[in-house]
Amino acid sequence: MQKEKLVLIGNGMAGMRTIEELLRLEPALYDITVFGAEPHPNYNRILLSPVLSGEKTIDEIMLNTRAWYDEHGITLHTGDPVTDIDRKRRIVKSRSGRELPYDRLLLATGSYPFMVPVPGVDLPGVMGYRDIADVDAMIAAARAHQQAVVIGGGLLGLEAAYGLQQQGMDVTVVHLLDTLMERQLDKPAAALLQASLESRGLRFLMQAQTAAIEGTDRVERVRFKDGSAVPADLVVMAVGIRPNIALAQAAGLYCERGIVVDDTMLTYDPRIYAIGECVQHRGQCYGLVAPLFEQAKVCANHLARLGYGRYQGSVTSTKLKVTGIDLFSAGNYQGGEGCEEILFQDPGAGVYKKLVIRDNKLDGAVLYGDTIDGAWFFQLMRQGTDISGLRENLLFGQAHLGDAGHGGQTQAAAMSDDMQVCDCNGVCKGEIVRAITSKGLFTLDDVKLHTKAAASCGSCTGLVEQLLASTLGSDYSAPEAKPLCKCTDYTHDQVRAAIREQHLTSIGAVLQALDWREPDGCHVCRPALNYYLLSAWPNETRDDGQSRFINERAHANIQKDGTYSVIPRIFGGETSPQQLRAIADAADKYQVRTVKITGGQRIDLLGLTKEQLPHIWKDLTDAGFVSGHAYGKALRTVKTCVGSEWCRFGVQNSTKMGIELEELTWGSWTPHKFKMAVSGCPRNCAEATIKDFGVVAIESGWELHVGGNGGVKVRATDVLCRVETPEQVKEYCGAFMQVYREEARYLERTAPWVERVGIAYVKKRVVEDEVGRKALYKRFLESQKLAQVDPWKERATGAEAHEFTSLRQVNA
Amino acid sequence: MSAVMPEPTWVALGPIDSIPRLGARVLRRDGGDIAIFRTTDDQVFALLNRCPHKGGPLSEGIVYGRTVACPLHNWCLDLATGQAKAPDEGCAPSFPVRVEDGHVLVSLTPGAD
C-alpha cells in the first residue's frame, strides 16, 4: 500500500518539532516533504540573539542537518517557499514550480516582523529581525556603519540592541511608551532594566513616536512626531510580529489574526493542520517557543492517528537573553482587581521581585536581578499550587522553605562549569550546558538521554531543569505533567482518571483502553498501573506479581549479590526476649551472614538465598512475626521513643500509640514507601518531623505532622493539626494515608506531593472536612481488611512456590 | 574455546506452564545459572543469569515484550540476543531453547552469536 503524503510548509522550529514528535510515534506512516523559504536546514531561531551578539555561531544553532532529513527519508526543499495551495485537488505549488499532492498538510509558516508604516520604511538599511539573513545583514551593517536605531523596546528589540552594541555600534532604542518591555514588566522592574542597560551604553528615547525614516540612497536618520531626529545608518524594526497567514488566506482557510485552529491543531479544512506562531487558538497567538512545543506534541498525536491529544492553551514565561541581566516574567505580572501583591525591592543591589497572588495561588511574577527562583515560581503557577502555607517565605524562594540537603533548584546559576550536577553518573554543569546548546536539547528527557544526568536517582532533576531554563531562557518551560512512561502520552493523572471512570480492573484492560504503544507496557508503567488498579478497585483487581518489582514480588529485599534480606515486623519497635530469641534462632539456623539494626528500629537478616525465604518465614511466622514490608512501596515502620511509661520528660505513651498506629496501617500499599514515628514529648527523640506521618506528644494530646523526608533531600514536616485522643490520631492518620494513596502519583513521596498540592489542600481534606475525613478513613479501613493478610505466612505454607524454587539443577 | 564444537546437549526443563508469563525461572548449573524467560505469547528464551553491568540476576527482572529489565539498575536486555539497549553497552550470553509438546528444552552450549 502506498503511504499517505504529508507536506509541511515551513521548515522552522514548530513544524520540525511536530515532525520529530510524529516520527517518534509513527516513524513510517507518511511520505514527508518539507518546504522552507530560508536556504538553511532547521535552526534554533531563539538563539539568533546570541549569534548577533557574537556569543554563538550559526553552526552552533543548527538543529537538524541535511543528513538528518536524509536519514529519516524526508524530502527537504529549502529556499523554495510554497506559493499556492489548491485545496480541491490537494496540491501545493512552490515558487520554483514544484507541484506536490498531499493527503495531510501541515502549515507552520510562522510570523513576520511588523514594519511600522511610515515614509521611508523601504529604504535600504531598514529591516526587521527574524531570521539568519537579518542577522547577517545586521552584522554586515555593523562592519560598515556606526549609528543604529532600534524601534521597539520589547524583548526582541532589546536583544537586537544589545547584539548590535556588542558588534561595535552606537545604539539608540526608540520606544513608544514610557516603560520598556511593558508586556512583561511592571514599571519598577522596567526602570531598573533601563538604568542597567543605560549604564552599559545603550541610549533610550522613550515616548517617542516615529514619523518618518529619511535618507536618499540609504537610511540617514529617524524623524519623530515632535520634529526631532536621530542619525541612523541602520534601523531595526522590532515592534512586534504578525502571524504569516497570507498563504492560508489565499487558499480560503478561515483566519482571524492567525489561522484559526481547534484543540487538536486542526484548521477549518479537515486535511490541514496548522501550528506555531501562524495560528490562533482560543483567541490567542503565541510568539514564544514553549507553547509551540506543546502544540507540536498534540498535532503529532493526531497526525499519528492516536486521536487523543488536546491543546488547551499555555501559560508563558520570558527571560531576556542579554548577558549579565537577570530578568524573569510570567503570567499576570501587573496584578489588578482581586489580586494581592508581595513585593521586595533593593534598588541599591538592583533587585526587584514581585509576586501576584489570586485566590491563594500564584498568578504572576516579575523578577529582576535575582531570577534564581523563576523556574520554581513558574512551576507553582502552572500546577496551581495553593501557596497559603508558603506565603510568608514564598518571595525568598525555595531555598528558604526548610529545604536543606541538596537544595536543588537554587544552585544552578551560581555553579561553575566543572561542578558536578549528577552525582550518580558524574556529569558536570559544563557538559550539560554544552549538550543543550550543541545538540539542540529542549526537554529533561533529551538531557537524560544524551548526558545521563538525572537518569539514575533523579535527585538532580531540579538542577537539570534549572540549567535548561537558564540556558534556553524563555524557550524552556518545565512540562506541567509528564507522560507516565515512554509507552504512552497520557499522564499519571489521566491514566488514573481513566481507571476510575472506565472501571478498568486489569493492566491488560488499561493498555487496551488507552492505546498503549507497547503490548506488555514496560518496567516503568506496569508497577504504576498495578498500584493504581489496586488503589482504585481493591476488591476487584488481581494483584499482578509479574508487574511488581522483585522486592515486592518476593517479599524481601534483593541485595547486590542477588541474595535477600528479611526484616520481620516489630510493632512500634518494642520487642521482647522471646522475639529476640526467635530471631536469633532463625539467624543461627539459616546461617545469616549479617544481623543489622535498621534506621527504623527493626532487625535486618542479610544474605539469604531465595530458596531459603519460605523456610525462614515459616520459623518467623510460627514465632508470631509478620512481614515487615521493608521491601515495599508500603507502610514501612513506626519508630517510637519510650514515652511517658519510662521517660521523665514524656507526656504521652508514645510507644503504645506507635504500636496501635502500626497495627492499624501495616500491610497497606502506598504510592511510595511510607514511614511514621511517634515521639513522647516535644523533644522529639523519634525524629517524627522528618517522617511521612509524624506524631509528637504534647501535654494536651498530640500534634500531627505530614510530608517530612530524611532522604536525598531533607524536608521537615508541615504541621497538620493538634488532636486530643489516640482514636483521633488513628482517624487522621488513616485519612491522610488514604488521600495520599488515592491522589499522589506512583513513586511520589509525601514530601513532593504535599509541596505539589499544598499543605492547605491537605488540611482541607483531612482536618477541615470532617465528613470527608471520616469517609477517607472508612475507605482506608475497608482496603486494610484485604491488605492485612501476611504474605510471609501465605508463602511459608506453599503459595507462589514457583517463585522460590529453581526449575532444575544440573552438573554442567 | 575448544576447536571442536560439542554437540548441543538438550536439558529438559518441564512444562512451559511452570514458567509464569512475563516471568522467568532458573536452571541451576555449576557453570553459571541460566534464566529461562516466557513472554506473553509463550515464546521462551534463555540467558546467562548475570547482567553484563553488575551481575544482577536477570531472572528476577520485569519482563515486557522481548525485553527484561535487570532488577539491580534497570538495564534493559533483549531476550533473544542478550544485548543491552542503547545507550547502555553489554551482552549476556544466550542459549538455544525449544518447546516440544508444551515442554521446554535448553541447550547448554551458548548461542552462535
Side-chain angles (χ1 to χ4, degrees):
Chain A
M1 204 184 77
Q2 213 182 356
K3 284 195 212 170
E4 287 207 313
K5 290 181 170 43
L6 171 65
V7 173
L8 165 62
I9 303 180
N11 185 30
M13 296 178 75
M16 284 315 295
R17 186 68 176 194
T18 311
I19 299 295
E20 286 176 32
E21 294 277 357
L22 172 64
L23 292 177
R24 205 170 61 82
L25 298 172
E26 282 287 353
L29 195 57
Y30 295 99
D31 265 337
I32 302 174
T33 304
V34 179
F35 284 92
E38 291 187 63
H40 311 277
N42 179 34
Y43 64 91
N44 189 343
R45 192 180 304 280
I46 57 200
L47 291 179
L48 279 179
S49 290
V51 173
L52 177 61
S53 63
E55 289 160 30
K56 280 195 197 319
T57 66
I58 297 276
D59 285 344
E60 281 176 320
I61 67 166
M62 286 294 157
L63 289 173
N64 296 109
T65 60
R66 284 178 198 277
W68 182 89
Y69 288 83
D70 291 343
E71 253 168 59
H72 292 82
I74 298 170
T75 312
L76 172 65
H77 301 300
T78 54
D80 190 15
V82 169
T83 51
D84 186 31
I85 304 169
D86 182 341
R87 293 203 287 136
K88 256 195 197 129
R89 291 166 56 214
R90 301 212 310 267
I91 285 177
V92 298
K93 296 175 193 162
S94 76
R95 189 169 65 190
S96 73
R98 288 193 175 92
E99 286 202 12
L100 207 72
Y102 65 84
D103 296 295
R104 293 270 183 280
L105 184 63
L106 176 57
L107 296 176
T109 46
S111 61
Y112 63 91
F114 177 66
M115 305 299 277
V116 185
V118 292
V121 72
D122 44 7
L123 275 174
V126 182
M127 56 186 301
Y129 177 26
R130 171 70 191 170
D131 53 29
I132 288 182
D134 295 335
V135 170
D136 286 342
M138 281 154 78
I139 292 174
R143 292 211 182 98
H145 303 281
Q146 196 54 41
Q147 302 294 334
V149 171
V150 175
I151 301 180
L155 190 71
L156 201 60
L158 295 181
E159 289 188 2
Y162 170 76
L164 289 170
Q165 191 201 23
Q166 291 300 107
Q167 295 292 344
M169 296 188 86
D170 293 331
V171 185
T172 305
V173 176
V174 174
H175 197 49
L176 191 58
L177 302 174
D178 61 348
T179 51
L180 295 174
M181 286 180 71
E182 74 283 349
R183 291 179 61 187
Q184 287 89 20
L185 298 184
D186 62 352
K187 285 196 176 186
L192 279 170
L193 173 65
Q194 187 176 338
S196 165
L197 290 171
E198 277 168 349
S199 75
R200 289 154 175 258
L202 286 181
R203 278 193 307 274
F204 289 90
L205 286 175
M206 304 302 282
Q207 291 175 280
Q209 191 175 350
T210 306
I213 296 167
E214 298 173 352
T216 40
D217 299 329
R218 183 185 172 87
V219 54
E220 287 164 21
R221 74 195 73 79
V222 177
R223 184 157 316 269
F224 303 102
K225 218 160 192 179
D226 63 3
S228 64
V230 286
D233 309 313
L234 172 72
V235 173
V236 178
M237 291 265 194
V239 293
I241 54 170
R242 296 287 181 272
N244 230 332
I245 58 174
L247 181 66
Q249 269 179 324
L253 273 178
Y254 181 65
C255 299
E256 290 174 6
R257 272 184 303 142
I259 305 166
V260 176
V261 294
D262 65 12
D263 285 3
T264 69
M265 307 315 295
L266 192 64
T267 66
Y268 275 59
D269 181 330
R271 295 225 174 233
I272 305 183
Y273 289 88
I275 182 160
E277 292 181 336
C278 63
V279 308
Q280 179 181 334
H281 170 264
R282 297 192 187 180
Q284 282 278 352
C285 298
Y286 293 98
L288 298 168
V289 84
L292 314 190
F293 285 179
E294 291 171 36
Q295 294 173 357
K297 218 173 174 67
V298 172
C299 189
N301 184 287
H302 289 277
L303 283 172
R305 300 192 189 139
L306 295 174
Y308 57 78
R310 188 164 174 219
Y311 179 66
Q312 308 190 63
S314 300
V315 184
T316 56
S317 72
T318 0
K319 202 165 178 280
L320 186 68
K321 282 184 291 295
V322 171
T323 307
I325 291 187
D326 290 324
L327 183 61
F328 174 89
S329 157
N332 169 18
Y333 59 93
Q334 287 287 20
E337 189 112 348
C339 296
E340 302 166 83
E341 292 172 11
I342 302 181
L343 278 178
F344 175 85
Q345 250 173 314
D346 183 350
V351 175
Y352 174 81
K353 300 185 193 186
K354 171 162 127 182
L355 301 179
V356 177
I357 290 162
R358 183 198 289 273
D359 300 331
N360 287 324
K361 287 175 185 161
L362 197 57
D363 201 37
V366 180
L367 308 175
Y368 184 88
D370 174 8
T371 56
I372 254 166
D373 285 299
W376 181 59
F377 290 138
F378 193 48
Q379 190 186 350
L380 291 176
M381 282 173 58
R382 292 169 60 111
Q383 292 180 343
T385 305
D386 186 324
I387 51 88
S388 40
L390 315 172
R391 198 170 161 133
E392 281 167 33
N393 294 314
L394 190 62
L395 195 59
F396 302 104
Q398 201 174 19
H400 291 266
L401 293 176
D403 175 12
H406 279 201
Q409 323 234 13
T410 58
Q411 295 176 349
M415 290 175 86
S416 63
D417 273 2
D418 57 353
M419 276 174 82
Q420 191 155 299
V421 172
C422 175
D423 293 330
C424 294
N425 294 319
V427 190
C428 300
K429 175 181 170 181
E431 284 173 65
I432 296 172
V433 171
R434 265 196 305 282
I436 291 169
T437 50
S438 69
K439 296 188 175 136
L441 312 182
F442 291 101
T443 67
L444 181 65
D445 280 344
D446 291 346
V447 175
K448 279 185 189 172
L449 202 66
H450 282 93
T451 68
K452 296 241 159 189
S456 287
C457 84
S459 67
C460 63
T461 302
L463 266 176
V464 174
E465 289 186 328
Q466 179 76 21
L467 285 174
L468 272 161
S470 62
T471 310
L472 294 174
S474 59
D475 313 307
Y476 172 73
S477 65
E480 188 169 7
K482 297 162 194 171
L484 196 151
C485 71
K486 288 180 176 152
C487 309
T488 182
D489 286 338
Y490 288 112
T491 63
H492 280 268
D493 296 345
Q494 286 170 326
V495 171
R496 209 157 195 198
I499 287 173
R500 270 197 313 272
E501 286 158 17
Q502 302 180 37
H503 202 113
L504 306 173
T505 57
S506 72
I507 291 180
V510 177
L511 302 190
Q512 196 169 24
L514 300 182
D515 295 320
W516 233 248
R517 288 196 279 276
E518 298 297 327
D520 299 336
C522 71
H523 64 290
V524 178
C525 57
R526 286 228 312 271
L529 295 178
N530 191 53
Y531 171 76
Y532 289 148
L533 288 162
L534 284 173
S535 116
W537 310 110
N539 296 309
E540 298 167 61
T541 304
R542 190 187 60 86
D543 192 352
D544 178 21
Q546 298 312 137
S547 293
R548 282 190 180 272
F549 182 62
I550 180 62
N551 286 1
E552 293 186 355
R553 192 175 350 125
H555 291 274
N557 290 60
I558 197 165
Q559 303 296 326
K560 66 182 218 180
D561 62 354
T563 65
Y564 292 81
S565 80
V566 160
I567 302 182
R569 190 168 293 282
I570 298 177
F571 289 87
E574 184 179 82
T575 184
S576 66
Q578 289 87 336
Q579 278 194 336
L580 292 174
R581 254 182 229 114
I583 290 175
D585 288 345
D588 274 342
K589 181 169 167 186
Y590 298 97
Q591 297 174 329
V592 166
R593 277 144 55 194
T594 298
V595 181
K596 170 87 181 67
I597 308 283
T598 70
Q601 302 181 334
R602 306 294 182 264
I603 295 172
D604 197 356
L605 308 173
L606 291 124
L608 293 149
T609 65
K610 207 176 181 192
E611 285 79 2
Q612 288 180 308
L613 293 175
H615 302 287
I616 193 169
W617 291 341
K618 169 91 175 47
D619 291 13
L620 291 169
T621 52
D622 282 350
F625 286 105
V626 297
S627 162
H629 289 87
Y631 45 79
K633 315 296 175 214
L635 184 272
R636 291 287 179 88
T637 67
V638 184
K639 188 174 174 178
T640 66
C641 68
V642 291
S644 58
E645 287 292 279
W646 292 94
C647 176
R648 63 205 165 98
F649 299 115
V651 293
Q652 304 285 352
N653 190 336
S654 51
T655 313
K656 182 157 177 279
M657 185 75 254
I659 292 170
E660 286 181 23
L661 278 178
E662 193 157 347
E663 282 170 344
L664 171 76
T665 56
W666 77 272
S668 58
W669 298 110
T670 41
H672 208 310
K673 58 189 172 185
F674 194 97
K675 300 177 177 182
M676 297 205 248
V678 185
S679 287
C681 80
R683 285 168 190 74
N684 191 15
C685 295
E687 296 163 344
T689 47
I690 51 163
K691 296 289 183 260
D692 295 281
F693 187 83
V695 181
V696 178
I698 50 176
E699 187 61 42
S700 59
W702 309 89
E703 188 170 77
L704 308 183
H705 295 248
V706 297
N709 193 326
V712 177
K713 199 164 147 186
V714 181
R715 182 183 194 273
T717 47
D718 292 304
V719 177
L720 186 67
C721 62
R722 291 180 169 195
V723 297
E724 287 166 16
T725 67
E727 271 317 304
Q728 285 175 311
V729 174
K730 287 198 265 183
E731 180 176 311
Y732 282 69
C733 172
F736 174 74
M737 280 186 81
Q738 191 63 16
V739 195
Y740 171 58
R741 283 157 47 117
E742 289 176 3
E743 297 184 9
R745 296 167 191 157
Y746 187 65
L747 297 188
E748 183 175 40
R749 287 291 297 269
T750 59
W753 174 65
V754 167
E755 285 189 3
R756 178 164 66 84
V757 301
I759 183 65
Y761 172 78
V762 178
K763 282 184 181 169
K764 198 162 84 193
R765 295 291 306 274
V766 179
V767 183
E768 290 151 29
D769 177 4
E770 189 188 341
V771 178
R773 175 177 68 244
K774 289 195 185 303
L776 281 167
Y777 187 47
K778 198 173 153 209
R779 288 207 290 285
F780 180 77
L781 294 178
E782 192 62 33
S783 93
Q784 280 299 83
K785 281 184 199 158
L786 298 153
Q788 288 192 334
V789 177
D790 179 25
W792 285 3
K793 189 160 204 164
E794 289 181 308
R795 283 155 185 77
T797 50
E800 310 280 322
H802 68 84
E803 185 70 49
F804 304 98
T805 51
S806 59
L807 275 174
R808 196 177 160 180
Q809 170 119 26
V810 292
N811 299 317
Chain B
M1 193 177 273
S2 64
V4 185
M5 288 293 279
E7 281 294 300
T9 40
W10 292 94
V11 176
L13 299 175
I16 186 170
D17 285 335
S18 60
I19 308 168
R21 283 206 177 107
L22 293 178
R25 297 285 299 277
V26 174
L27 168 64
R28 297 259 176 245
R29 190 181 68 122
D30 300 339
D33 294 351
I34 297 175
I36 316 290
F37 300 91
R38 180 182 175 193
T39 62
T40 339
D41 54 357
D42 289 341
Q43 295 196 59
V44 178
F45 298 96
L47 296 177
L48 189 68
N49 197 20
R50 282 181 57 80
C51 181
H53 177 216
K54 302 253 168 149
L58 298 172
S59 55
E60 314 303 316
I62 289 179
V63 177
Y64 59 96
R66 274 206 187 190
T67 307
V68 60
C70 175
L72 293 194
H73 306 94
N74 278 328
W75 274 38
C76 293
L77 307 189
D78 186 291
L79 292 179
T81 64
Q83 282 288 349
K85 290 211 169 142
D88 295 325
E89 284 173 26
C91 187
S94 61
F95 297 85
V97 189
R98 59 177 212 257
V99 181
E100 273 174 20
D101 301 330
H103 278 65
V104 179
L105 297 123
V106 63
S107 159
L108 299 184
T109 316
D113 53 326

